[in-house]
């Protein structure tokens, strides 16, 4: 029955369990409009259960807001108190704080958490349908109780107005109001009984809600952490993800979770972690083998006999004078050479044999691409250009350039990782292309001392003329060539072509061991 304005009376209380301002709810509505997965989930649940879209919104806001507040049960509309109980148990779950470290302020991650919670919520909703039906009956009973009360009030007002017009006393009004108040009292009692039954049903269901909420939170933590680790493994930073449109980020995540790239993520992550550690250890001209004593002012290498002068007040001035003149006696050592300044170029063999698997099911291609992506990180950390050259036979070559002064687009990085040319193996063309790129850099920017890393699993011959031109280019440009022979021990044998070409050559036999290339990241 409509009220005097012609409208059905609204249910009293909030329909949203999480207190949020309009801007936060706009974030939910915007994401909901963009996410087909969320809309499909909402449609599926709404076809079987009432008020589930509100529940999904609450679960999103609880994960997304910086400081979410779950409303008290008394503040809620009776039909939404079940939603409130579910969200309260989600927020109280042991893993919720860990989940919010991944999702707070990140609408995409919060939506991912909601989708991850869906299986547990779906099962919970199916099992607790009677609880929500009781809540709906209580809400309807409360609305029904309001109708007789409004009718009684309206009748009294009308009677009072009539009595006033006739000049009669209040008896007419009282007589009109009395009979109308009885249905209102009866409806109120029915509403109270319905609300008590709904509360009892909800209390009985609370242990099951708590268990489902814990399961849902644990699943959401696992999924959001896995996706965050996947993005980090591929070098996609949190800031870049936050700037990425929802649709693009969803496509990227799907691309990384499926196909060949998904199987490489763990290996790439280990390579990046190893390279980070080597960078942390790396100090140019670091102390290595002690070869004697020299003079200088490096206090980290001062001989103990010199430091002893500081213990005698009369010799401190002598120590200070010798320090100022750079004449303190120091340990002399021979350490690692300084790194290059020019581009880092990774020449990666993509011939058919690179598909071969080694220990742990890791292919030679996967190991090589993971190493190359770690070299990309290395170059960007040192503000050096990076070039990835994929090669196989002499007529197959593809070049990917990543200048240091521009971002490395993730789509371009993935294209570099996914491309596979197939065919045989030829060293001459990729190495000539690398030397030409370093020559261009030297001529235009006066940067020399580049580094080329050749990663291959095969041997091939080179011509005498080409070798002569190669040596001339290396002498002029001052670059170094590092060789990694993946699963090809004969390629590193004495007298091999690789041994003749490379300044630094090593075999890679165990493809599960990323530390086989560790010193490469200290030298480049």
């Amino acid at each position: 029955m409509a009220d005097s304005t012609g409208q059905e009376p609204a249910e009293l209380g909030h329909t949203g369990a999480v207190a949020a301002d309009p801007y936060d709810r706009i974030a939910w509505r915007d994401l909901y409009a963009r996410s087909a997965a969320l809309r499909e989930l909402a449609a599926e649940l709404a076809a079987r259960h009432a008020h589930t879209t509100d529940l999904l919104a609450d679960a999103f806001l609880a994960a997304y807001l910086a400081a979410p507040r779950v409303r008290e049960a008394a503040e809620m509309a009776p039909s939404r108190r079940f939603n409130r109980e579910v969200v309260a148990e989600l927020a109280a779950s042991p893993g919720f704080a860990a989940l919010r470290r991944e999702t707070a302020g990140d609408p995409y991650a919060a939506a991912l958490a909601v989708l991850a919670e869906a299986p547990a919520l779906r099962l919970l909703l199916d099992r607790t349908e009677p609880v929500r039906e009781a809540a709906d009956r209580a809400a309807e009973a409360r609305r029904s109780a309001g109708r007789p009360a409004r009718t009684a009030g309206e009748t009294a007002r009308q009677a009072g107005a009539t009595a006033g017009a006739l000049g009669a006393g209040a008896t007419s009004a009282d007589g009109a109001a009395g009979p109308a108040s009885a249905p209102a009292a009866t409806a109120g009692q029915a509403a109270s009984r319905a609300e008590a039954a709904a509360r009892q049903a909800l209390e009985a269901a609370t242990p099951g809600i708590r268990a489902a909420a814990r399961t849902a939170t644990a699943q959401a933590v696992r999924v959001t952490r896995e996706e965050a680790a996947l993005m980090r493994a591929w070098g996609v930073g949190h800031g870049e993800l936050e700037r990425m449109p929802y649709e693009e980020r969803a496509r990227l995540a799907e691309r990384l979770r499926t196909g060949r790239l998904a199987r490489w993520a763990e290996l790439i992550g280990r390579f990046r972690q190893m390279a980070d550690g080597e960078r942390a250890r790396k100090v140019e001209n670091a102390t290595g083998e002690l070869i004697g004593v020299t003079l200088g002012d490096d206090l980290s290498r001062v001989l103990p006999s010199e430091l002893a002068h500081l213990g005698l007040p009369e010799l401190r001035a002598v120590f200070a004078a010798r320090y100022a003149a750079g004449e303190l006696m120091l340990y002399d050592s021979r350490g690692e050479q300084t790194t290059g300044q020019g581009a880092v170029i990774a020449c990666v063999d993509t011939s058919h044999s690179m598909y071969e698997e080694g220990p742990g099911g890791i292919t030679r291609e996967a190991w090589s691409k993971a190493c190359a992506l770690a070299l990309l990180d290395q170059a960007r950390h040192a503000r050096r250009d990076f070039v990835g050259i994929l090669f196989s036979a002499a007529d197959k070559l593809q070049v990917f350039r990543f200048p240091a002064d521009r971002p490395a687009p993730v789509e371009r990085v993935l294209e570099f990782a996914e491309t596979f040319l197939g065919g045989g193996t030829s060293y001459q063309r990729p190495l000539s292309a690398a030397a030409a790129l370093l020559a261009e850099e030297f001529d235009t920017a006066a940067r020399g001392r580049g580094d080329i890393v050749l990663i291959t699993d095969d041997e091939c011959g080179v011509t005498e003329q080409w070798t002569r031109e190669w040596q001339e280019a290396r002498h002029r440009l001052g670059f170094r060539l590092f060789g990694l022979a993946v699963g090809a021990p004969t390629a590193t044998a004495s007298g091999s072509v690789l041994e003749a070409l490379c300044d630094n050559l090593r075999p890679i036999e165990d493809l599960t061991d990323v530390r086989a290339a560790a010193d490469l990241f200290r030298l480049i």
Side-chain angles (χ1 to χ4, degrees):
M1 180 184 295
D3 63 16
S4 60
T5 65
Q7 301 294 321
E8 185 69 24
E11 186 180 4
L12 297 178
H14 292 283
T15 58
V18 178
D21 62 38
Y23 295 103
D24 294 324
R25 295 202 175 273
I26 287 173
W28 159 251
R29 289 196 293 270
D30 180 65
L31 196 71
Y32 184 83
R34 293 171 179 268
S35 172
L38 279 177
R39 294 196 303 274
E40 290 169 6
L41 174 61
E44 176 205 339
L45 295 180
R48 299 158 59 189
H49 311 290
H51 319 307
T52 49
T53 302
D54 288 338
L55 175 60
L56 296 181
D58 285 330
F60 169 84
L61 292 169
Y64 171 68
L65 295 181
R69 181 181 74 82
V70 179
R71 289 189 169 101
E72 297 297 326
E75 300 179 68
M76 300 299 300
S79 62
R80 306 306 200 280
R81 285 176 185 164
F82 176 86
N83 289 0
R84 185 263 170 200
E85 193 68 20
V86 172
V87 175
E89 292 296 344
L90 285 173
S93 298
F96 192 69
L99 175 64
R100 285 184 36 74
R101 282 194 287 272
E102 303 292 343
T103 61
D106 186 341
Y108 174 90
L112 183 65
V114 173
L115 294 172
E117 291 165 351
L121 294 180
R122 186 183 293 113
L123 184 60
L124 173 65
L125 290 170
D126 288 342
R127 289 176 174 174
T128 56
E129 181 65 23
V131 179
R132 282 169 294 104
E133 288 176 349
D136 286 341
R137 286 194 295 270
E140 178 57 30
R142 181 53 62 192
R143 282 193 293 268
S144 298
R147 292 168 191 149
R150 281 188 297 277
T151 301
E154 183 62 26
T155 301
R157 284 193 298 274
Q158 291 175 357
T162 302
L166 296 175
T171 305
S172 298
D174 293 341
S181 64
T186 301
Q189 291 170 0
S192 297
R193 287 194 297 271
E195 289 176 355
R199 282 195 299 271
Q200 289 174 0
L202 185 58
E203 289 172 2
T206 296
I209 295 173
R210 183 174 299 120
R214 292 186 176 191
T215 300
T217 301
Q219 178 71 359
V221 170
R222 184 185 66 79
V223 170
T224 54
R225 279 181 172 172
E226 283 179 358
E227 180 149 320
L230 185 65
M231 294 297 180
R232 285 194 298 271
W234 284 96
V236 186
H238 186 70
E240 185 178 358
L241 286 175
E242 288 190 335
R243 294 189 298 272
M244 197 176 291
Y246 177 86
E247 297 87 345
E248 182 181 342
R249 185 167 171 181
R251 285 194 302 271
L252 173 62
E254 181 64 20
R255 186 176 179 183
L256 294 182
R257 278 196 297 265
T258 58
R260 295 193 305 148
L261 298 183
R263 292 184 285 118
W264 296 358
E266 191 271 339
L267 179 64
I268 292 170
R270 286 196 287 125
F271 251 107
R272 290 184 186 277
Q273 186 177 17
M274 178 273 291
D276 285 343
E278 293 305 313
R279 275 196 296 273
R281 293 176 52 195
K282 174 181 172 182
V283 180
E284 293 188 1
N285 293 318
T287 301
E289 179 187 1
L290 294 176
I291 58 174
V293 175
T294 187
L295 299 179
D297 59 1
D298 185 352
L299 296 177
S300 67
R301 295 188 288 136
V302 174
L303 267 61
S305 58
E306 290 278 30
L307 291 174
H309 294 163
L310 293 175
L312 301 173
E314 59 273 20
L315 294 179
R316 288 175 187 169
V318 175
F319 181 93
R322 294 180 64 182
Y323 172 69
E327 295 179 351
L328 293 174
M329 287 191 293
L330 314 175
Y331 287 117
D332 195 10
S333 63
R334 179 168 53 216
E336 295 173 343
Q337 298 296 312
T338 57
T339 60
Q341 297 174 341
V344 176
I345 302 178
C347 297
V348 181
D349 187 349
T350 60
S351 60
H352 283 309
S353 57
M354 293 292 282
Y355 271 137
E356 186 173 328
E357 290 186 357
I362 298 173
T363 65
R364 296 171 180 181
E365 179 202 11
W367 193 96
S368 302
K369 296 281 184 65
C371 182
L373 291 175
L375 288 169
L376 168 60
D377 283 353
Q378 188 86 350
R380 298 196 75 77
H381 186 270
R383 297 182 176 84
R384 299 168 68 182
D385 291 352
F386 176 82
V387 181
I389 299 178
L390 304 180
F391 71 93
S392 57
D395 61 340
K396 293 185 177 181
L397 188 84
Q398 195 161 346
V399 178
F400 296 81
R401 303 184 72 162
F402 299 92
D405 59 354
R406 278 176 256 163
V410 64
E411 289 291 330
R412 188 67 171 162
V413 173
L414 293 180
E415 185 183 357
F416 168 63
E418 287 181 313
T419 300
F420 192 88
L421 302 177
T425 303
S426 171
Y427 296 162
Q428 289 187 187
R429 190 172 177 207
L431 291 178
S432 294
L437 288 167
L438 292 176
E440 177 188 339
E441 183 182 45
F442 182 80
D443 293 338
T444 57
R447 286 200 298 269
R449 292 171 50 220
D451 291 310
I452 303 172
V453 181
L454 177 65
I455 310 176
T456 183
D457 72 338
D458 203 355
E459 297 182 83
C460 69
V462 293
T463 67
E464 184 177 342
Q465 176 63 28
W466 181 88
T467 304
R468 189 179 302 111
E469 293 171 355
W470 170 259
Q471 295 296 351
E472 290 173 358
R474 179 152 61 176
H475 178 73
R476 183 172 82 91
L477 302 173
F479 60 75
R480 298 176 295 182
L481 176 61
F482 297 86
L484 298 174
V486 184
T490 58
T492 61
S494 177
S496 68
V497 173
L498 277 180
E499 186 195 41
L501 291 176
C502 296
D503 301 287
N504 187 304
L505 175 63
R506 73 210 65 200
I508 306 297
E509 291 299 318
D510 183 358
L511 301 186
T512 64
D513 181 16
V514 299
R515 296 207 62 81
D519 61 328
L520 191 67
F521 295 89
R522 290 196 300 272
L523 297 172
I524 291 180

